[in-house]
């Protein structure tokens, strides 16, 4: 246990050092694709931090030297082409800015789930799902004021990715929503660590997502961890990078133990990869399917 703790401390230290080095690399990466992130420079000489509205939502704005930078989440369903957003400066001026969304192809994934109740919920299950939905929506729509927002993420579980972001999914041949996070392999009980500092804003056992924790990184940037075996935090807890969130499990609608990790930006699910300091562990293929 002691050795494990020491190892975690060293890992955390390395992560922090890597995070400091990575800030020079400008995270998240500018990936203007459906399910991606647009990183756009804004001038800083207009009386302070501007506000940004994109798709009727408040956008994330962070300092960039003497200037600022807008970081916008692009929904998976966005058609390639021009997107606009509005910038409002403290001096009362405002302007429209544009960026171009490039096309991106996502693969399909087909899974079979034997428990028919999990595929087509019965009346009792539907009632539970309908009660849970507002809690999930509220958590994902959170926009809390923050002085600084972490943009350099560590992997919550260091292992291979078994199902990437954005795949069109079919469950027992029925089309479902595209995959709105990444699945990371892990045996039941594997620790899940906070990828970046944040506050726990919701935690519970949900029908589809199983045991789930929502971590608010500030200004509309939220992590969601689903299908956990054990939740080790409570609503209100403030976590630092590398602190324990819970353990990998197979609660909810799953075919095996794994961590499903979603990142929501401005109430839009985006690919968590674009925030990672080091995404190479996800690509290790020797044990991957
Ligand atoms: Zn998943």
């Amino acid at each position: 246990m002691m050795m494990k703790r020491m190892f975690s401390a060293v890992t955390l230290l390395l992560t922090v050092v890597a995070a400091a080095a990575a800030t020079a690399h400008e995270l998240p990466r500018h990936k203007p694709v459906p399910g991606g992130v647009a990183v756009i420079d804004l001038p800083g000489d207009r009386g302070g931090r501007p506000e940004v509205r994109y798709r009727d939502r408040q956008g994330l704005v962070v300092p960039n030297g003497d200037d600022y930078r807008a970081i916008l989440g692009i929904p998976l369903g966005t058609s390639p082409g021009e997107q606009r957003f509005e910038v409002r400066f403290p001096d009362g001026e405002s302007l429209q800015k544009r960026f171009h969304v490039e096309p991106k192809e996502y693969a399909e994934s087909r899974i079979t789930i034997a428990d028919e109740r999990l595929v087509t919920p019965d009346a009792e299950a539907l009632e539970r799902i309908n009660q849970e939905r507002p809690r999930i929506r509220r958590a994902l729509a959170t926009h809390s004021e923050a002085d600084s927002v972490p943009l350099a993420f560590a992997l919550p579980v260091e292992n291979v990715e078994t199902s990437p972001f954005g795949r069109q999914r079919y469950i027992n041949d029925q089309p479902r929503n595209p995959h709105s996070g990444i699945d990371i392999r892990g045996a039941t009980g594997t620790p899940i660590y906070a990828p970046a500092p944040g506050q726990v804003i919701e935690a519970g056992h949900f029908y589809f997502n199983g045991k789930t924790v929502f971590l608010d990184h500030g200004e509309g940037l939220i992590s969601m961890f689903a299908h956990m075996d054990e939740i080790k935090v409570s609503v209100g807890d403030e976590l630092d990078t590398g602190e324990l969130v819970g353990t990998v499990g197979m609660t909810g609608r799953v075919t095996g133990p794994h961590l499903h990790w979603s990142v929501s930006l401005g109430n839009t699910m985006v690919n968590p990869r674009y925030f990672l300091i080091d995404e190479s562990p996800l690509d290790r293929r020797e044990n991957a399917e």
Side-chain angles (χ1 to χ4, degrees):
M1 190 63 203
M2 201 57 202
M3 277 306 286
K4 219 169 184 178
R5 282 233 167 130
M6 279 175 65
F7 179 73
S8 300
V10 170
T11 310
L12 181 58
L13 188 64
L14 289 174
T15 307
V16 170
V17 170
T23 49
H25 286 271
E26 293 184 11
L27 286 163
R29 286 175 272 281
H30 177 60
K31 295 276 183 183
V33 297
V37 175
V39 180
I40 295 160
D41 290 340
L42 304 174
D45 56 357
R46 306 284 288 272
R49 178 151 99 170
E51 280 191 6
V52 158
R53 285 199 78 78
Y54 172 53
R55 299 173 54 250
D56 276 332
R57 287 162 189 164
Q58 193 175 345
L60 171 58
V61 177
V62 295
N64 174 34
D66 292 336
D67 296 320
Y68 293 91
R69 186 172 279 159
I71 300 170
L72 307 174
I74 305 163
L76 258 173
T78 305
S79 302
E82 191 180 88
Q83 293 279 300
R84 292 159 189 248
F85 64 98
E86 192 184 12
V87 188
R88 294 176 194 159
F89 295 96
D91 64 9
E93 295 290 307
S94 70
L95 60 88
Q96 293 261 328
K97 282 193 75 94
R98 302 150 196 242
F99 62 96
H100 196 83
V101 174
E102 292 151 21
K104 182 171 172 65
E105 295 288 327
Y106 289 103
E108 285 182 1
S109 91
R110 289 175 184 270
I111 60 168
T112 303
I113 289 176
D115 184 351
E116 192 54 37
R117 280 194 69 212
L118 283 171
V119 183
T120 312
D122 60 20
E124 193 188 329
L126 272 176
E127 198 182 313
R128 180 179 158 193
I129 292 162
N130 287 333
Q131 280 172 358
E132 292 172 356
R133 194 170 284 141
R135 286 173 62 192
I136 296 171
R137 285 208 178 131
R138 203 177 311 125
L140 292 174
T142 301
H143 191 111
S144 57
E145 300 292 316
D147 290 334
S148 73
V149 178
L151 300 172
F153 284 17
L155 268 175
V157 171
E158 197 166 297
N159 208 330
V160 294
E161 183 179 57
T162 54
S163 183
F165 178 90
R167 274 192 187 168
Q168 177 59 53
R169 294 180 303 172
Y170 296 84
I171 297 172
N172 300 358
D173 289 327
Q174 297 171 35
R176 287 293 192 271
N177 289 333
H179 195 218
S180 60
I182 63 175
D183 290 348
I184 308 173
R185 171 173 299 167
T188 296
T190 304
I192 299 166
Y193 299 111
Q199 184 177 41
V200 178
I201 51 166
E202 179 64 277
H205 192 165
F206 300 94
Y207 186 81
F208 289 121
N209 290 343
K211 290 184 187 171
T212 303
V213 169
F214 295 83
L215 191 59
D216 178 10
H217 304 294
E219 301 281 346
L221 185 62
I222 316 263
S223 276
M224 182 186 92
F225 312 96
H227 309 310
M228 294 165 64
D229 188 55
E230 279 190 89
I231 293 173
K232 301 282 197 184
V233 292
S234 307
V235 171
D237 286 358
E238 299 268 3
L239 304 184
D240 272 326
T241 307
E243 280 196 78
L244 188 65
V245 178
T247 58
V248 173
M250 50 182 302
T251 53
R253 187 168 72 184
V254 290
T255 52
H258 69 273
L259 170 66
H260 171 101
W261 175 34
S262 280
V263 169
S264 176
L265 172 59
N267 208 359
T268 302
M269 294 298 200
V270 296
N271 194 335
R273 269 180 175 260
Y274 303 146
F275 289 82
L276 287 175
I277 298 159
D278 178 11
E279 57 185 307
S280 63
L282 292 176
D283 294 324
R284 273 191 274 124
R285 281 285 167 240
E286 69 269 31
N287 297 312
E289 284 152 334

